[in-house]
Amino acid sequence: MAVPSEEPPRSGILAHIGHTPLVPLLHIGRGLPAPILVKCEHLNPGGSVKDRLALAIVEDAERRGLLAPGATLCEATAGNTGMGLALVAAVRGYRLVCVMPEKMSHDKRAALSSLGAQVVMTPNAPPDDPENFQQVARRLATENGWFLTDQFCTPVNARIHEETTGPEILAQAGGSVGAFVAGVGTGGTISGVGRFLKRHLPSVRIVLADPVGSSLAAWVESGVPGGDGPYLVEGIGASRPSVILDRAAIDQAERISDEESFAVTQRLVREEGLLVGGSAGTAVAAALRIAARADRADPVVALLPDSWDRYFSQPWMQAWR
Ligand code: PMP
């Protein structure tokens, strides 16, 4: 007999968000004291780790009665959260407006529009500037009565990783994880996975992989954000931490240059068959350093956030041809 449940069962493709594979690297890092395992979030239906968040935010808002049928969602997104939300909005019958800074790739813009979302571009403005993408999204939502999905502030963000990504990693790794490495955009992934793993494995090291130019590595080390410089890797790094980024869940940071991120990304594609974007290279570059310094053989787990298809038009990937 079916067990009665308050939640309607997820149907169609939404039932296949999460439960992504955890696989060992076969070539990169061979011979290091600890193996590297990668969590393949690029294999989610929308091509990124953000599918988990998109579904969780919409289901949380539905549960709280905040979304009338056909409601409009509005998000400040570098692209991946938009893709996840566009997928969920399409299946659940909502409209979506995405506000993104113009440094983000054309591929991401084209994909969002093709999925039916409206894309609003903003200049690459700092957080205090009224033209900053997060401020513009907030203003548009208030003016138009749209539901602000608010990935940078909502507690749903870290919680979904604490409830799904973290437990999946621990189970798939057979209960042993020496370190977990991830880049940080909103900080939802590292805060949620970090909190879960630390609760179950007190000796695990949680490592923030930060682009050179981002201020977050200095913040992890001293509590004060460091300098603010340009870099090309998309979706990670910041000039200051978001309110949901949990410093207590993070043990250390590694600074990774664009050059190193993109070189490792190319190796992930060509040697491992992992068709991932640049921030995956940042995480694995940091994981290689951690694995090289390891004094025990517990695996180092790196999270691969998104798929390579959103970067085909970027010069760093065009240079591979
Ligand atoms: N990599 C990419 C490509 C992303 O778009 C994001 C999210 N902005 C991240 C990594 C970081 O994930 P989180 O927001 O959970 O910190």
Side-chain angles (χ1 to χ4, degrees), residues 28-53:
I28 304 173
R30 199 165 44 189
L32 293 178
I36 298 175
L37 307 179
V38 289
K39 182 67 170 159
C40 296
E41 292 298 302
H42 64 296
L43 298 179
N44 274 298
S48 93
V49 65
K50 294 295 186 173
D51 288 7
R52 295 179 190 260
L53 169 62

Side-chain angles (χ1 to χ4, degrees), residues 72 74 134-149:
T72 299
C74 178
Q134 292 182 48
Q135 292 212 35
V136 172
R138 196 168 292 279
R139 204 162 56 232
L140 285 175
T142 308
E143 284 168 7
N144 295 288
W146 297 337
F147 179 74
L148 186 70
T149 44

Side-chain angles (χ1 to χ4, degrees), residues 48-50 53 77-81 108 151-152 157 161 182-190 233-237 244-245 277-280 303-306 310-311:
S48 93
V49 65
K50 294 295 186 173
L53 169 62
T77 174
N80 283 325
T81 301
K108 286 179 180 171
Q151 61 166 332
F152 286 90
N157 189 343
H161 295 290
V184 163
T186 63
T189 308
I190 202 167
V233 174
E234 294 177 40
I236 56 171
I244 62 164
L245 181 56
S279 69
L303 187 127
L304 310 182
D306 74 353
R310 36 220 73 178
Y311 305 99

